[in-house]
Amino acid sequence: MDQQLKYDLFQAYYDARRNKRNTINQIRFEIEYERNLLGLYEQIIQRKYEIKPSIAFIVNEPVKREIFAADFSDRVIHHLIFNYINPILDETFIYDSYSCRKGKGTHFGIQRMAGFLKACSENYTRDCYVLKLDLKGYFMSINKHLLWQKLQAMLLHQRERFDPQLVWYLLEKVIRTDPKQGCIIRGNRDDWEGLPPTKSLFYAKPDCGLPIGNLTSQLFSNVYLHDFDCYVKNELGVEYYGRYVDDFVLIHPDKLFLKEVLGKIQDYLAEQSALELHTGKIYLQHYAKGFAFLGAYIKPYRCYAGKRLKRNFFRAVGETDRLLSDQVEKKTLQKVRSSLNSYLGVLRHYSTYNIRRDALLKKPHLFFKYGYFAGNLKKYKVKRQYANV
């Protein structure tokens, strides 16, 4: 077991650093990563592991959010826990839970919803209705005692697939620790102005709230609503249902049925998970009107890019002119190409040719000096003579 834990820690380290290369926290850990990993190993087997202070700050894009960034060593532990229990949990989750799951995600969820709309309306030939719901302050409302019970229920009969003493020890550390205690505030406290209390851990009820940004928080958010997913699918009998974190959609031929289940959903969430719906975001409409979901707007026959995605794309295009206005280096061109192609890669999935044309062609941009667009404005390529500037 000791050797296996060492191997698992090294694997968790490689997983944790995959998307955190060149951050100060990660570089500091990597300088002596073998020594640091063996230190984590000793702390775990001696049951002396303690979570380090988080860094709290505000981000404003794509929306204003509070982030508690864990120390890199704690991120390694998050990945260790994830690697142990996610394979078990993923087998248990319903198919149409899309967040933090391999092979799924936002684009998959949008495609599934578009398919549900087509199937429920029998290829847009009969009436059906869309009920879209959102939870109020979801991450800050997650009750840690209930989360612990839900995790136990899902893992209790799978203990032969992991070391229960080790996993429960680490899970309890991560869940019970309050990230507010000893946290380091980055930026100014004024940064929190305008952030609703329901979106801040500093206003969460006692023993409630998970920090946004941690891998374990994403996984736990799926665990916390798994019983609700099963309730909607199995007890309410909703065939066309999908959820991404706290955004969920029900599609059904009978509008009255959806009105009736809305009350049942509210009661179930309050009684079983201590959650409440965001009353200002309850959407119930005929399918022909379409609906927004995960940054897209889904309508019969096609999907459109959402307002936020369009706004950010136009902003990114404008930013390229600023980047290219000074002396251009290879890394600058790489940054411009990566930015443009990142957005174009997302936009190509939707009916967005006019958006791409308006953003890229309606006025002269400096990126045309260094490159061109291929595939009907689907990809930006740097001209050969500038490839090594």
Side-chain angles (χ1 to χ4, degrees), residues 217-247:
S217 296
Q218 298 174 50
L219 181 60
F220 296 158
S221 73
N222 282 342
V223 170
Y224 202 72
L225 283 175
H226 171 65
D227 61 314
F228 171 74
D229 293 336
C230 296
Y231 171 73
V232 174
K233 294 287 291 183
N234 302 328
E235 296 193 38
L236 297 182
V238 180
E239 179 180 1
Y240 302 113
Y241 164 81
R243 178 178 62 83
Y244 188 97
V245 191
D246 59 344
D247 291 329

Side-chain angles (χ1 to χ4, degrees), residues 335-348:
K335 185 175 182 179
V336 168
R337 182 182 63 187
S338 297
S339 176
L340 290 174
N341 286 338
S342 176
Y343 277 101
L344 291 173
V346 175
L347 289 167
R348 67 191 299 178

Side-chain angles (χ1 to χ4, degrees), residues 3 30 33 60 72 88 101 142 168 190 196 230 263 269 313:
Q3 285 302 118
E30 186 164 319
Y33 77 95
N60 293 295
F72 187 79
I88 300 169
R101 299 182 69 187
I142 291 177
W168 290 124
D190 292 345
C230 296
L269 289 170
F313 176 53

Side-chain angles (χ1 to χ4, degrees), residues 57-60 64-66 188-197 200 202-203:
F57 58 95
I58 294 291
V59 297
N60 293 295
K64 192 163 191 170
R65 291 189 303 171
E66 175 188 83
N188 301 313
R189 291 193 177 273
D190 292 345
D191 295 341
W192 270 256
E193 288 186 7
L195 184 73
S200 173
F202 292 108
Y203 293 93

Side-chain angles (χ1 to χ4, degrees), residues 356-370:
R356 287 176 277 142
R357 180 199 62 198
D358 291 348
L360 301 171
L361 304 181
K362 278 209 167 180
K363 73 173 190 176
H365 291 287
L366 292 175
F367 48 65
F368 283 110
K369 176 181 177 181
Y370 304 99

Side-chain angles (χ1 to χ4, degrees), residues 110-111 113-115 117-118 123-124 287-293 296-306 348-354:
I110 292 165
Q111 286 184 313
M113 281 299 149
L117 199 67
K118 184 176 182 179
N123 203 19
Y124 317 122
Y287 81 93
K289 294 182 180 294
F291 62 100
F293 188 60
Y297 201 84
I298 302 169
K299 295 195 73 173
Y301 300 104
R302 64 187 66 190
C303 293
Y304 297 94
R348 67 191 299 178
H349 293 296
Y350 313 118
S351 303
T352 57
Y353 176 78
N354 289 341

